[in-house]
Amino acid sequence: MNARSRHLPHRLRPATAAALLTFWTLPFGALAHGALAQSGVDTAPSAAETRMPEPSYLEPLNANESTGVLGSKVVGPNGDDFGLITDVIVDRDGRPRAAVIDFGGFLGVGSRKVAVDWNLLQFDPSQRDHKAVLALGRREIQGAPEYRADAASAAMVGPPAVGASTGADGGK
Amino acid sequence: MAANDPADTLAGRALPHLGRAPGISAGRGLDWFNLFVANIQTGFGPFVAVYLTTQGWTQTRIGLALSLGTISAMASQVPAGALVDVIHSKAAVAFFSILAFTASALFFALWPTPLFVYLAEALHGFSSCTLGPAIAAMSLMIAGRRALGLRLGRNARFAAIGNALGAALMGACGYYFSNRSVFFLTAALTLVALVPLMPLARLYESSRPEARQRPGPARRGNMIRVLTNRALLSYALLAMLFTLGNAAMLPLAGNVVTKRAAGEGVLLIAAGIVLPQLVAAALSPALGQLAEARGRRLVLFLGFCTLPIRAALFAYVTDPALIILVQALDGIAGASIGIIGPLVTADVAAESGHYNLALGFVGLAIGIGATFSTGLAGWAADGFGSETAFLAMAAVGLAATALVWAVMPETRPR
């Protein structure tokens, strides 16, 4: 082995190349399994759909009138950047109660998750960048308690006028 | 000061088996390579969570992707080290690791779908574990045992500069363009990083064949001897304890800054990331020199000392600007760990043929510390407040510092 490597000092030996290749392709193999399983799940219903007749109760979702909200940028009333919507909290009836906003931070360091009253958010689906405007100042969300999905009770930041009482009721 | 021109002096005696003196460019090449690698790694950090959020990922799925990266890195530390040991051209290892980073960055940028993101995380975790040992091994080949401390000091300086530049560059990129552009920038930087790797391709580990030519059983006995060495085990334990007290500190401090900052906390947190790197860049060469002149124990002790001090100050300092100043202490700790880790490991394992395996072992210990750090600190901060969490970290840091004095043997060769 060593004699051989001395003959080919500046090149990758075949065994080395094979070892490297195996090593770096391992994750592909491992994940391809998961991918196949996943794509199987994904394609099954769509294949069924193509065979079935189109449902009669289809309603149009106009892109200019509705939008997804996960990952939407949240800005303040004067346009400064607050963060991203990471989750929507709904009540028993599925009506949105609060939005969880990942607030502040730099390159993912130091951000805090804060829940705000859903009614304080305004969406404009006709805008291309899907920004949500929050009717609160930076100060009002900054001091809010961190939102934890697994906590027994959580608090959300309410409208400024009744914010104090909402915070006290919702807290622990 | 010798610290000002060690690249030339180090590299001059570096590669006697090459005949000519191409070592000057090899030393400089390694400088720049360290800088670019640190640069590249910035985008793969906590920023991934931000990016995936903007791509409409749920928090659960993001957590899964990040865990996959952690598990991949932890699981491949030791095997990756063993693999790097048997590959003679460490530059080839570095080359392929960087290409894996290119692929990861492009997967993130082009296809932020679960399949490709999981792939990118696994690939990145894997190749981080081959790249780190490869850099340490190339440093050893360039500098030799006697001057390794100085060489690692240089590595730490250029890595710190790379970290600082990376944070500034990627932060600006994400702010002015888009989060996606950060990964395009990362992919571009990986290709740039291959340039300083070229002079390093001539480094070839053929000059120390005696350790490799031993038959199997002797080699295995050798490996066990390295992994049960008291100095290596002590260092691994200490580094794990240190990371347990340290890893969650910046996120937690950043959280406090975001909560208390008067205006935009973003700039303060950016300063909290960049400032320690500047401190590390300034001090690293001196710390490397100190490790060669006065011993590893002293430098390790100095670095560890800053942890309990910093944690205790965090518990009581409330002014966001002061918090950032306290965070600058992290630069001393980061530099000393970055230098002493590969140095002590070389003292123990350089001649054994298992240097990279031993580095992987230490890396695994640090990874375990980091994993538990975030969990424990988060739990303490939720249940008892961030002051208590900081005080707990200070206690861990104090214990680690005391243990440096109590159990860590001096490994500097005489």
Side-chain angles (χ1 to χ4, degrees), chain A residues 103-155:
Chain A
F103 170 75
F106 176 78
L107 288 173
V109 176
S111 62
R112 309 177 69 238
K113 287 197 170 61
V114 171
V116 298
D117 192 325
W118 183 256
N119 298 317
L120 297 175
L121 282 168
Q122 279 188 323
F123 300 91
D124 188 353
S126 58
Q127 295 283 308
R128 228 189 109 257
D129 53 1
H130 298 310
K131 270 182 196 162
V133 181
L134 181 63
L136 283 176
R138 179 174 291 278
R139 276 251 158 263
E140 283 147 326
I141 36 175
Q142 195 170 24
E146 177 127 35
Y147 172 78
R148 301 249 166 223
D150 47 1
S153 66

Side-chain angles (χ1 to χ4, degrees), chain B residues 253-264:
Chain B
N255 197 307
V256 172
V257 169
T258 305
K259 188 165 183 177
R260 295 198 186 129
E264 292 227 13

Side-chain angles (χ1 to χ4, degrees), chain B residues 153-401:
Chain B
R154 269 187 90 85
N155 283 4
R157 160 175 279 183
F158 280 90
I161 296 172
N163 278 326
L165 283 178
L169 210 61
M170 312 254 165
C173 211
Y175 186 81
Y176 290 109
F177 301 108
S178 70
N179 286 312
R180 181 178 290 232
S181 69
V182 170
F183 287 103
F184 281 118
L185 176 68
T186 303
L189 285 172
T190 57
L191 299 181
V192 180
L194 294 178
V195 177
L197 202 52
M198 281 195 294
L200 296 167
R202 279 174 295 199
L203 290 174
Y204 220 79
E205 206 176 38
S206 52
S207 53
R208 293 186 289 110
E210 68 284 348
R212 309 183 171 287
Q213 279 167 351
R214 286 197 198 115
R219 203 173 140 77
R220 210 168 305 130
N222 209 7
M223 180 172 90
I224 291 166
R225 205 158 35 248
V226 164
L227 291 183
T228 52
N229 178 287
R230 181 171 157 222
L232 188 74
L233 285 178
S234 309
Y235 180 74
L237 172 80
L238 290 168
M240 182 163 72
L241 255 185
F242 178 88
T243 315
L244 181 69
N246 185 54
M249 196 106 77
L250 176 62
L252 200 58
N255 197 307
V256 172
V257 169
T258 305
K259 188 165 183 177
R260 295 198 186 129
E264 292 227 13
V266 179
L267 280 180
L268 278 174
I269 292 168
I273 294 171
V274 171
L275 201 59
Q277 301 301 334
L278 298 183
V279 171
L283 292 182
S284 293
L287 287 175
Q289 244 178 342
L290 195 64
E292 290 298 0
R294 292 287 160 80
R296 286 69 165 124
R297 242 162 74 94
L298 177 66
V299 175
L300 197 63
F301 184 76
L302 285 178
F304 272 45
C305 270
T306 62
L307 176 61
I309 298 173
R310 186 160 58 103
L313 283 174
F314 273 150
Y316 296 110
V317 168
T318 50
D319 183 0
L322 284 179
I323 289 180
I324 298 313
L325 279 182
V326 174
Q327 176 61 19
L329 283 174
D330 186 35
I332 304 174
S336 84
I337 303 254
I339 294 166
I340 298 303
L343 194 53
V344 165
T345 312
D347 291 339
V348 171
E351 269 94 39
S352 69
H354 296 293
Y355 181 41
N356 300 290
L357 178 78
L359 283 170
F361 175 71
V362 169
L364 177 64
I366 291 176
I368 292 170
T371 308
F372 283 103
S373 182
T374 356
L376 283 179
W379 171 79
D382 286 351
F384 310 101
S386 53
E387 285 85 1
T388 316
F390 282 130
L391 286 178
M393 290 168 157
V396 172
L398 203 59
T401 310

Side-chain angles (χ1 to χ4, degrees), chain A residues 8-34:
Chain A
L8 295 168
H10 302 312
R11 268 200 242 134
L12 213 56
R13 289 174 306 129
T16 304
L20 278 173
L21 258 179
T22 320
F23 194 65
W24 270 289
T25 47
L26 263 177
F28 288 92
L31 278 157
H33 181 72

